[in-house]
Amino acid sequence: MNNTLVLEKIAEALVATGKGILAADESPGTCDKRFDEHGIPKTEEMRRKWRGLLFGTPAVQTALSGVILYDETLRQKADDGTLFPELLKSRGITPGIKVDQGLEPFEGSSEEKVTKGLGALATRLAEYYALGARFAKWRAVITIGTGIPTERCIRENARRLAEYARLCQIAGIVPILEPEVLLDGTHTLARSEEVLTQTLKIVFEEVEKAEVNPKGLILKSSMALPGKESSRQSSGQAGKTATPEEVAKATLSAFTQAVPKTVAGIVFLSGGQTPMEATVRLNEIVVQAKALKAPWPLTFSYSRALQAPVIAEWKGQDGNVASAQAIFKKRVEETALASQGKFTA
Ligand code: 13P
């Protein structure tokens, strides 16, 4: 099989019906922040145990197509000495790798950011391929506020996403492009839809310019949601008062206007929604997408919405591993049902 076909097959498998992706690519710093909330010691060994708990959950492979890892995790081993990428592969789960290197201010702005990590990226991708990674993730962050995002900042992020994607495809790695429109802010659902549409249009303009094959890439998107601090958020819960129907309609409107039909699939981040919100909204998006005969497979690539209740159960205690794994399995299965429009609360 030539390189193009191999990439398309990997991408297709990642968004196969009834399956989705676990994002377990938090940097050690972010992982430690989550550990802090539960009094878990912030050590490399505890991070290894945590990832081992997730990846070793019995039968979870029926609903997980891939896992995104961080550099540290890609090199770590399960309790039996198997490297994590090998463990995942042996369970039929494709290992992926986060390759961006975080954010830097855009042209000195304190509000807008661009993602860095293009330096030596081709070399890093070759090493990640050798370590077993077959897909990658690059996250750009778009903030909604007064006068922002600017078209220039979106464009710069999009250029970098397209260049990352180009280098990934050359390396035989499927790129996931994640331009995350943040939930933070006081904006309305309509404003979120507008920014999501603009962002995706610019991203795919740059993807086309860079001659990246859309069939060998996956878009990772936020849902269109009213800002966390918008006036409709009196309870303080993320996106609470926008109905799932409104969220789905706005999100699919953005995709229909901006995402090429040939893109292999679209996966969602959870972005600070509660696990149930992220599940119910995904379900409704898929229900509406089917009615519209939307061209892309749609599924999840959640971190917090899959992991939050699991880490709360585990608390770093060996004695809680089995009960935490049971919660993880249920979370993944519920979310996989939602990715087929079959979830009922
Ligand atoms: P959340 O689902 O917690 O938003 O994380 C997804 C992700 O991969 C962010 O880059």
Side-chain angles (χ1 to χ4, degrees):
M1 244 193 307
N2 69 29
N3 186 35
T4 308
L5 272 183
V6 173
L7 286 171
E8 292 175 9
K9 288 274 167 227
I10 296 168
E12 214 177 279
L14 285 169
V15 293
T17 307
K19 291 191 176 187
I21 298 170
L22 165 69
D25 60 331
E26 301 85 1
S27 65
T30 303
C31 196
D32 286 352
K33 235 192 285 170
R34 309 253 190 276
F35 280 9
D36 245 351
E37 291 162 20
H38 301 282
I40 301 166
K42 296 176 286 186
T43 62
E44 183 179 344
E45 172 58 9
M46 291 308 277
R47 292 194 294 273
R48 187 195 66 79
K49 281 193 177 187
W50 169 233
R51 267 65 187 252
L53 179 160
L54 296 173
F55 309 159
T57 295
V60 81
Q61 69 274 17
T62 57
L64 275 190
S65 56
V67 175
I68 317 173
L69 306 169
Y70 192 79
D71 185 276
E72 176 183 275
T73 324
L74 193 71
R75 302 166 198 277
Q76 283 175 326
K77 292 175 180 160
D79 290 340
D80 70 357
T82 313
L83 278 160
F84 280 143
E86 293 304 321
L87 168 71
L88 292 169
K89 265 197 290 183
S90 72
R91 306 191 69 195
I93 300 171
T94 304
I97 179 76
K98 170 194 171 78
V99 301
D100 70 72
Q101 295 178 320
L103 310 175
E104 60 188 1
F106 174 62
E107 294 180 348
S109 162
S110 59
E111 290 180 296
E112 288 197 292
K113 304 272 193 292
V114 277
T115 302
K116 56 188 179 181
L118 288 175
L121 181 56
T123 312
R124 289 193 290 128
L125 288 170
E127 191 199 359
Y128 289 145
Y129 186 95
L131 288 166
R134 290 296 176 270
F135 73 102
K137 183 190 102 175
W138 178 291
R139 173 176 177 258
V141 169
I142 306 298
T143 307
I144 304 180
T146 311
I148 59 168
T150 60
E151 206 255 327
R152 285 211 332 283
C153 181
I154 299 174
R155 179 78 56 191
E156 182 55 26
N157 271 304
R159 274 201 202 105
R160 295 184 188 192
L161 275 163
E163 177 60 6
Y164 140 81
R166 194 182 70 81
L167 292 171
C168 280
Q169 290 190 341
I170 291 170
I173 289 180
V174 169
I176 294 188
L177 286 71
E178 183 185 20
E180 176 173 358
V181 177
L182 291 181
L183 189 58
D184 306 307
T186 57
H187 51 273
T188 61
L189 175 64
R191 177 79 179 127
S192 172
E193 177 188 333
E194 178 185 47
V195 171
L196 184 60
T197 308
Q198 183 192 17
T199 300
L200 295 176
K201 277 186 179 166
I202 295 173
V203 166
F204 285 104
E205 280 167 21
E206 294 301 325
V207 161
E208 193 180 342
K209 274 191 226 162
E211 298 187 358
V212 173
N213 173 15
K215 291 189 200 165
L217 73 80
I218 290 172
L219 169 67
K220 177 159 174 168
S221 180
S222 16
M223 298 176 189
L225 290 168
K228 207 161 46 178
E229 294 92 30
S230 78
S231 53
R232 297 183 72 194
Q233 306 308 311
S234 49
S235 74
Q237 263 182 284
K240 187 172 186 297
T241 53
T243 65
E245 289 76 14
E246 290 171 321
V247 168
K249 186 163 179 276
T251 304
L252 290 168
S253 158
F255 292 171
T256 306
Q257 292 176 68
V259 183
K261 290 189 170 60
T262 46
V263 160
I266 304 176
V267 298
F268 288 98
L269 57 101
S270 57
Q273 304 176 67
T274 65
M276 218 18 74
E277 285 168 342
T279 310
V280 168
R281 287 169 176 160
L282 172 63
N283 192 76
E284 181 59 27
I285 290 170
V286 171
V287 167
Q288 290 192 18
K290 282 186 180 171
L292 290 170
K293 299 198 183 338
W296 328 270
L298 299 163
T299 189
F300 61 91
S301 174
Y302 293 162
S303 160
R304 284 164 287 176
L306 291 178
Q307 295 183 35
V310 187
I311 200 167
E313 173 69 18
W314 177 51
K315 298 188 198 73
Q317 305 296 320
D318 290 343
N320 297 338
V321 167
S323 54
Q325 286 181 326
I327 291 173
F328 181 54
K329 182 165 175 280
K330 180 158 183 276
R331 261 300 49 235
V332 173
E333 285 173 351
E334 287 173 343
T335 316
L337 278 177
S339 75
Q340 301 166 79
K342 292 180 182 167
F343 176 73
T344 39

